[in-house]
Amino acid sequence: MSNLSRRKFLITAAGTTAGAIWLSACGGKKEVATPAAAPAAGGADAPEVTGVSLGFIALTDAAPLIIAKEKGFFAKHGMPEVKVMKQTSWAVTRDNLELGGGGGGIDGAHILTPMPLLLAAGKITKSQQPLPMATLARLNLQGQGLSVSKDFLANKLTIDNKAGLADAVAATAKTGRKFKAAVTFPGGTHDLWMRYWLAANGIDPNKDADLVVVPPPQMVANMQTGTMDTFCVGEPWNQRLVNKKLGYTAAETGELWKFHPEKSFSMRADWVAKNPKATKALLMAVLEAQMWCEDPANLDELCEITSKDRYFKASVADIKPRLAGTFDAGDGRTVTDSPYRMRFWSENASFPFKSHDQWFVIEDMRWGYLPASTDVDALVNQVNRADLWKEAAKAIGQEKAIPASDSRGKETFFDGVVFDPENPKAYLDALKIKAMS
């Protein structure tokens, strides 16, 4: 089972094609998908309700929900009273989803992709009962980082440096403690990226490291006080660490798995069942917001809006560079027009491939967050509502954006390991380091 620590940490004050990509720093015109000028739904197509409470964490990949609110996409589709509410941690997001809007919580959220699967399985709810969830869209691909303290600059850690990482872990052990790695939620994407990176480089995350949970906006403050050696989190917090000269980015998570899925837009399944027209309206708005977010003409405005205290409470200097593809690792390595930058719409970023949810279920089985007896396909088919995504895409004139299959096919990781969604058991069996219940 997982050995995630429960120790206390410093808490700081929380305050029209699929080929669109950001313009590179050197310029160059790229084709950008644009939202259709469809009229707001009315009459028989009008949403059952005009609002709902949605949660988000202060991370760059929450932008589609924020933009859908700020730029009027929710209102355009008959949902002017949508509330987009900041959550202080993924645990709070979980708790508020369990409460639901009727109980003073929320009915949907910007969320770590594995969380709806874990909620539906009843593995992370306070009640220990299943909370049926519906994943409606993926919000982004890539755009996370594996960062390390400046104390390990000499180790020159990268995505693939077994010797350097082994030395860092050994040096830490000589001080009487384990190499401390912070993640954002047990079984969430950042936990899985951290575990994959460590294990692929020969470090058993359960035996050789001490994995701890820290909310995303608090990562940098904890690094500053020496609370951790490495962390995995979304932007803009890796960039802020570099800007404050407290550490460096060993790797962008796109290096670990190119075009990997990251956050999702998910709702309580009971709300979706009760409000199918409102669900479609929300999805249409979010998809249009994702196209807006990826349009390079909107980059400056996107950064200005999300930098506000009610959203990220971060400077444009923290948010903009990596979103634009400018990558300064903080250790002398620099890249412009990075292929690993965050995508909101291009590369089928928005479509919730079922094969990706399969991988997350398998990895959560690998590390003991889900039992080895889990029916992978049943859980994925229960939660993943790619069917609703397709309906929304058609409604906004984006039929060409609908993939031919719910599976993206085989996926290859930086260490050469291949995940074949047609045979997930073979992938799991071949992994050398794991901790299954």
Side-chain angles (χ1 to χ4, degrees), residues 246-290:
L246 295 170
Y248 66 103
T249 303
E252 296 179 82
T253 51
E255 295 177 74
L256 187 151
W257 174 10
K258 191 172 184 181
F259 299 139
H260 72 75
E262 184 49 45
K263 304 300 188 301
S264 291
F265 171 43
S266 300
M267 304 280 295
R268 286 175 56 112
D270 56 359
W271 196 95
V272 170
K274 185 179 179 180
N275 304 286
K277 295 175 184 177
T279 298
K280 184 176 179 179
L282 290 174
L283 251 177
M284 292 162 70
V286 170
L287 267 58
E288 291 188 351
Q290 288 181 271

Side-chain angles (χ1 to χ4, degrees), residues 21-22 141-142 252 322 324-325 337-343:
I21 56 176
W22 290 112
L141 304 178
Q142 308 186 139
E252 296 179 82
R322 296 191 180 190
D337 197 22
S338 171
Y340 307 118
R341 64 190 177 279
M342 189 176 294
R343 309 299 176 92

Side-chain angles (χ1 to χ4, degrees), residues 36 46 57 62 95 120-121 125 143 185 189 214 231 272 291 306 310 319 399 431:
I57 295 284
D95 295 346
T125 54
F185 190 82
T189 54
V214 176
F231 63 66
V272 170
M291 287 182 250
T306 57
R310 67 177 178 272
I319 303 168
E399 290 166 279
L431 296 168

